[in-house]
């Protein structure tokens, strides 16, 4: 069965975006040459990405407007609006929970939950995330979009690894 993995960065005070939805603060305390490429290692085991409309829209309008950076994956974008899908990007009007349950049963590599907060919370509430890759950025935002909020129940986790570089902390947890 495929694993469902959340791979996301968060401010020290628990936000995935600032109060205007921006992520320009996603950097360490020094230069980029001090960073470790944890992304490349993570995606070796991934062939599918799941994200909400806001995350998709931010990628194509702000973060990478000239090129779709996830061409090596099949991406599902959860949206209530109708958009033309392509071979690599599927726009679906499904609940994230039902889509993840279906994907989990299909053959393939792991599924990466890319964002956003509402989609993640629905999956957390159903305890469907197998692995949590959380990167803590050395920034206090004070407000914005929280990663975890209003969980319906407690989920106990086990720390698999922790790594620090450039003021950033990478934590990997699985369910106990």
């Amino acid at each position: 069965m495929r694993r469902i993995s959340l791979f996301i960065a968060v401010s020290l005070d628990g936000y995935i975006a600032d109060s205007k939805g921006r992520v320009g603060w996603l950097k360490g305390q020094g230069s980029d040459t001090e960073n470790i490429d944890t992304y490349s290692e993570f995606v070796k085991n991934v062939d599918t990405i799941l994200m909400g409309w806001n995350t998709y829209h931010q990628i194509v309008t702000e973060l990478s407007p000239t090129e779709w950076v996830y061409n090596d994956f099949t991406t599902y974008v959860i949206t209530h609006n109708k958009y033309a899908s392509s071979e690599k990007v599927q726009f679906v009007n499904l609940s994230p929970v039902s889509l993840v349950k279906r994907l989990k049963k299909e053959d393939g590599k792991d599924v990466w939950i890319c964002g956003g907060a509402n989609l993640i919370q629905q999956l957390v509430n159903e305890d469907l995330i197998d692995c949590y890759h959380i990167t803590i950025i050395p920034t206090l935002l004070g407000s914005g979009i929280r990663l975890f909020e209003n969980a319906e129940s407690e989920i106990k986790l086990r720390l698999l690894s922790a790594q620090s570089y450039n003021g950033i902390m990478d934590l990997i947890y699985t369910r106990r």
Side-chain angles (χ1 to χ4, degrees):
M1 200 179 277
R2 299 166 88 176
R3 283 184 350 152
I4 309 301
S5 295
L6 173 64
F7 184 89
I8 199 161
V10 62
S11 66
L12 183 59
D13 53 350
Y15 297 98
I16 59 173
D18 68 18
S19 59
K20 294 185 178 164
R22 294 183 306 227
V23 294
W25 51 272
L26 289 173
K27 46 189 157 241
Q29 64 193 16
S31 70
D32 285 343
T33 60
E34 298 174 50
N35 289 339
I36 295 174
D37 184 10
T38 56
Y39 170 82
S40 294
E41 191 61 33
F42 170 75
V43 296
K44 285 180 183 176
N45 298 318
V46 170
D47 67 1
T48 305
I49 301 173
L50 179 60
M51 66 181 68
W53 167 256
N54 289 338
T55 301
Y56 170 80
H57 188 259
Q58 185 176 48
I59 291 167
V60 298
T61 61
E62 181 183 339
L63 302 176
S64 183
T66 60
E67 172 189 17
W68 180 243
V69 292
Y70 300 127
N71 272 328
D72 295 336
F73 311 95
T74 299
T75 301
Y76 290 91
V77 179
I78 304 287
T79 179
H80 297 295
N81 299 311
K82 292 190 181 209
Y83 296 97
S85 295
S86 67
E87 180 184 341
K88 290 296 181 179
V89 181
Q90 301 289 315
F91 296 96
V92 295
N93 186 3
L94 300 168
S95 94
V97 169
S98 63
L99 180 57
V100 164
K101 285 180 178 179
R102 186 187 90 203
L103 291 172
K104 214 169 163 73
K105 295 176 187 174
E106 294 177 357
D107 289 335
K109 293 182 177 182
D110 293 348
V111 177
W112 168 18
I113 307 304
C114 184
N118 181 290
L119 182 149
I120 293 165
Q121 194 61 58
Q122 290 178 61
L123 299 176
V124 167
N125 286 341
E126 295 294 325
D127 197 16
L128 288 173
I129 298 175
D130 300 307
C131 194
Y132 293 78
H133 294 251
I134 309 295
T135 299
I136 299 174
I137 305 298
T139 299
L140 295 170
L141 292 176
S143 65
I145 300 170
R146 282 214 175 272
L147 175 55
F148 301 116
E149 192 158 36
N150 301 321
E152 293 178 0
S153 62
E154 177 181 287
I155 298 174
K156 294 188 181 295
L157 303 173
R158 176 179 318 284
L159 180 64
L160 292 182
S161 71
Q163 157 176 289
S164 174
Y165 55 91
N166 196 11
I168 294 170
M169 191 75 195
D170 282 332
L171 305 168
I172 302 175
Y173 292 94
T174 59
R175 287 182 294 191
R176 283 194 246 164

